[in-house]
Every structure is written in C-alpha cells, then in structure tokens.
Amino acid sequence: MKFNGSVVEHRPFGIPMIGNVSNGYAIGLTEEGHRLCRRMFAEEVPEAAVAAVSEELLAHLKRGGFCDEPVPESVHSGARGTACEGALPLQSAYLHVTHRCNLHCIGCYSHVESRNARADLPLGEVKLLIDRLAAAGVQRLIVSGGEPFLRADLPAVVEHAKTAGIAFVDVLTNGTVVGDEALRGLAPFVDRIAVSFDGVAPDADARIRRAPLFDQLVDTVRRIREAGIAAHIIPTLHGGNAGDVEAYCALAESLGATVNFSLLSAPPTEEAREV
C-alpha cells in the first residue's frame, strides 16, 4: 500500500492526521500510525504490516481511497452514473434533510434564517436527491441537518440510500432527540451514527451549547451501541478546550466509540471570545 497523490498530512492541535483532498476523508493517527503513514508516502507497505499496527487504520485507508489509483480525467461516471465529461465522479456527500433543530449552537454551519421555519422536503423528493447522488458515484453519504432525528421518516431516508447502492451511510446528530424506535428502524441500514459533543465530562463547560448535556449524550451513545449500530463521537475543538484532546479520546474508548474532531475558528468578536 502506497499513498496516491491526493493524500496530505497535517497536525492540528498537535494531533497527527492524514487527509484525502479528493474526497475530504480525514484520519487521526497515533504516533505509531503516523510513523507507518510517513513510510506510505515514499514506499509500498504490505497490507499485513498496516493491519499489524491497526486493523481500524487499514479499514479507514481502504474506505477513504488513500491508496486507490487516481481516476483518469476521461472517466465520465461511476458504475451507474452520468457525470459531466472530464469531471471526476463524486465519492462522498452531505445530505441535509432538515433545517429544523432543537439547539442553537455557536458556530453551527447550518444556522440559517430559515432554521425552524422552512418545511422539510417530502420523502419522495429526498429520495430523488439520493438517486442523483448515487448516479454521480457517491459511495459515502453523511445524513445531517439541522437535526435529522426530527424527521420521523429518517429510517426510510437511510434505507433508500442503501437501496440506491450507496455503500456507507452515516447519520450525524446532536444526540438529544435520538429515540429507540428510530434506532431500531435505522439499525438494518445505517453504518454509523455520529454524536456531536460539547464537554468532556459532566462538570465541563458547555461553551458551544451553553447547556450541560454530557450525561444525555453518553446515554445516547450507549443506546446506539445497544441497537447494534457503530457509534462515533465528534467533539468540537476551540480555544477553550484544545487541551482536552486526550480526554476526549479516552472518553470515546470508554464508550466503545470512534472519534474525530471538528474545529471551530472565528474572528475575534465578543461571542467568539466567550468560546
């Protein structure tokens, strides 16, 4: 295994990471994993050697296409697709299925004027969008919002994505309205549910949400796993909690979840200084 030309390395907040700029896939690394990946920029490394360091790292490298041959520019589409001539097929996409949300988090990228005012697209129209994404070659779909669990038909959305041929489907949630009935409906189809975190312990400052939700989020992760679904946590790092990286990693391990980090940066406004 050797990295293709789309792979870069970086170290935000001192965390070694690699990213595939062709599809936005990023992987956080241990120091041992980082040393292995440095070799893969320059030489072929046997798959068994990667697995010996981390089976999980190997799975992510394959899923993120880090060692795949670059797609020739003459390729028109994926197996079912009709992409524009000369364009690379899409590999991953976000699908925001609602503008509604029960929280008002600082820095939220979907905090728009129509939040909680615009009606959701009907399920039939959402399915058409999914069909178009599948036809464009998307193999990884992140279903988000707003808060996607506010849609009662969320299991039908994810089921259709799988039926359309999308290989990997994530759901990204704030973790506060995840019901057991919805989890049962999602379990046969969803590959992973990611829960955003603000605070690494019950008494930690919730600077983004301004409300202590830690115990509720931990319970949500527990119920996700009990439903037979892989759980993932996404803490947001900012100037006030950059030192909590190791604690968040330990939290994820204790919950039986994987972890990656979202980064919040902002101009020096009064609101940003509070974070």
Side-chain angles (χ1 to χ4, degrees):
M1 302 181 72
K2 183 179 180 181
F3 290 148
N4 61 42
S6 297
V7 181
V8 297
E9 62 174 324
H10 51 119
R11 192 181 278 264
F13 295 107
I15 305 167
M17 299 187 71
I18 54 172
N20 187 341
V21 298
S22 70
N23 58 22
Y25 203 109
I27 305 174
L29 303 168
T30 63
E31 291 298 337
E32 184 181 14
H34 183 231
R35 288 192 294 270
L36 176 72
C37 288
R38 291 301 300 271
R39 288 177 55 198
M40 295 173 68
F41 279 103
E43 63 183 85
E44 289 281 349
V45 176
E47 186 173 309
V50 180
V53 171
S54 171
E55 292 278 0
E56 186 177 6
L57 173 59
L58 175 61
H60 280 295
L61 291 174
K62 290 182 175 181
R63 186 180 297 152
F66 285 78
C67 301
D68 293 347
E69 289 295 324
V71 180
E73 292 190 0
S74 59
V75 171
H76 290 196
S77 66
R80 303 175 307 284
T82 54
C84 297
E85 184 172 354
L88 295 178
L90 293 173
Q91 294 185 9
S92 63
Y94 275 78
L95 178 64
H96 298 272
V97 295
T98 182
H99 275 142
R100 293 181 293 139
C101 190
N102 58 311
L103 299 180
H104 298 274
C105 302
I106 295 173
C108 178
Y109 57 76
S110 66
H111 203 307
V112 295
E113 290 184 1
S114 56
R115 161 81 54 99
N116 294 325
R118 181 181 295 176
D120 295 341
L121 282 178
L123 178 60
E125 293 188 35
V126 174
K127 287 181 176 181
L128 287 175
L129 291 174
I130 291 171
D131 290 340
R132 292 176 183 176
L133 290 171
V138 167
Q139 286 298 296
R140 182 184 184 89
L141 184 68
I142 300 93
V143 179
S144 184
E147 170 48 51
F149 276 88
L150 291 177
R151 287 193 67 127
D153 58 5
L154 180 62
V157 171
V158 175
E159 179 181 3
H160 187 76
K162 283 292 190 176
T163 302
I166 295 177
F168 192 90
V169 182
D170 270 353
V171 173
L172 176 57
T173 174
N174 66 32
T176 63
V177 291
V178 178
D180 290 336
E181 182 178 353
L183 290 175
R184 286 192 292 271
L186 286 165
F189 311 107
V190 73
D191 291 280
R192 187 173 66 175
I193 297 178
V195 180
S196 57
F197 265 68
D198 180 25
V200 74
D203 57 351
D205 288 338
R207 300 195 181 192
I208 294 174
R209 293 176 172 173
R210 298 176 176 174
L213 301 173
F214 179 83
D215 290 336
Q216 183 178 2
L217 301 182
V218 166
D219 179 67
T220 295
V221 172
R222 175 187 59 78
R223 290 187 295 106
I224 289 169
R225 297 193 66 235
E226 288 178 351
I229 302 169
H232 186 73
I233 70 171
I234 307 179
T236 298
L237 292 182
H238 48 75
N241 70 352
D244 291 338
V245 170
E246 291 187 7
Y248 273 121
C249 291
L251 172 65
E253 184 174 2
S254 71
L255 296 175
T258 53
V259 59
N260 74 286
F261 295 91
S262 176
L263 304 180
L264 175 63
S265 60
T269 62
E270 287 299 323
E271 186 178 45
R273 277 192 283 271
E274 293 178 12
V275 178

